[in-house]
């Protein structure tokens, strides 16, 4: 019985930890809730094999960027893109960067200025983005509330049942 109790308690804590991490990433995705750090859900395969669709990236705004940095930036048509810097040049005392997705054959259409760069990718969480996207849906919210609640109720019921039988 002690082994089963230990397994249930361990599983309860692991599930709770998983949901807390998922909640933090869901709230933090595409926001700047964490100050200078921002997280984004990758929605295309342009950076594969480095960064895959469904990955979550954490970016940090840096005072300067260099060739081979992977950066997230806003394009002239206001899309948010994550690509690698392949060229840097200075024009009229302004740094400009040419970017390219690792999986793309051609570089991006335009140079971007530093003011368009939201930050440099500093961390990648593989595939958790699928869970974050699911958590933002109605079935996801129901499931993410229902599973932890049932787990905690079952655990408490198990504890009460064991106390009565002692």
């Amino acid at each position: 019985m002690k082994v089963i109790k230990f397994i249930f308690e361990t599983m309860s804590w692991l599930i709770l930890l998983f949901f807390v991490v998922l909640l933090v990433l869901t709230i933090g995705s595409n926001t700047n809730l964490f100050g200078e750090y921002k997280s984004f859900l990758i929605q295309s395969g342009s950076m594969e094999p480095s960064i895959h669709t469904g990955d979550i990236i954490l970016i940090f705004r840096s005072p300067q960027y260099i060739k081979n940095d992977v950066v997230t930036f806003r394009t002239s048509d206001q899309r948010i893109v994550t690509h690698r810097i392949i060229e840097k040049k200075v024009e009229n005392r302004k740094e400009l960067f040419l970017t390219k997705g690792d999986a793309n054959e051609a570089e991006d259409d335009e140079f971007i200025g530093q003011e368009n760069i939201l930050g440099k990718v500093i961390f990648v969480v593989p595939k958790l983005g699928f869970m974050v996207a699911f958590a933002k849906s109605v079935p996801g919210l129901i499931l993410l509330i229902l599973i932890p609640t049932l787990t905690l109720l079952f655990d408490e019921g198990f504890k009460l049942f064991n106390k009565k039988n002692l």
Side-chain angles (χ1 to χ4, degrees):
M1 267 321 223
K2 286 186 178 188
V3 172
I4 293 173
K5 180 181 176 186
F6 175 76
I7 289 172
F8 264 126
E9 286 184 7
T10 303
M11 290 301 292
S12 295
W13 281 109
L14 288 174
I15 289 171
L16 183 62
L17 178 65
F18 172 76
F19 284 115
V20 167
V21 168
L22 188 61
L23 179 67
V24 167
L25 288 173
T26 300
I27 291 170
S29 67
N30 299 339
T31 67
N32 60 352
L33 184 67
F34 306 114
E36 293 294 316
Y37 295 91
K38 292 182 182 180
S39 64
F40 290 92
L41 169 62
I42 299 299
Q43 298 178 342
S44 80
S46 67
M47 281 302 294
E48 291 183 0
S50 313
I51 303 172
H52 297 274
T53 303
D55 290 353
I56 290 193
I57 58 168
L58 186 65
I59 66 168
F60 183 77
R61 190 158 181 83
S62 177
Q64 71 180 74
Y65 302 97
I66 60 173
K67 185 177 178 180
N68 288 323
D69 281 349
V70 176
V71 295
T72 299
F73 59 94
R74 192 174 305 275
T75 64
S76 59
D77 61 351
Q78 300 305 306
R79 291 183 313 116
I80 295 182
V81 177
T82 300
H83 282 169
R84 187 177 307 279
I85 294 174
I86 59 168
E87 184 182 332
K88 178 180 174 179
K89 71 178 183 177
V90 177
E91 201 171 90
N92 296 328
R93 293 188 301 214
K94 181 179 175 184
E95 288 184 330
L96 297 172
F97 305 92
L98 185 62
T99 57
K100 176 183 172 297
D102 290 354
N104 297 348
E105 292 199 15
E107 64 271 350
D108 295 337
D109 293 334
E110 59 190 4
F111 278 84
I112 56 168
Q114 184 154 347
E115 69 276 1
N116 297 88
I117 298 177
L118 301 174
K120 176 181 174 178
V121 174
I122 58 170
F123 191 71
V124 178
V125 182
K127 303 300 176 198
L128 191 59
F130 291 122
M131 286 296 294
V132 170
F134 177 67
K136 290 182 175 183
S137 70
V138 173
L141 288 173
I142 292 169
L143 193 61
L144 292 176
I145 291 170
L146 189 63
I147 286 180
T149 303
L150 290 175
T151 302
L152 290 172
L153 287 174
F154 186 74
D155 186 47
E156 290 301 315
F158 188 73
K159 287 177 186 176
L160 285 173
F161 178 76
N162 279 339
K163 282 184 182 179
K164 286 183 180 180
N165 288 335
L166 288 177

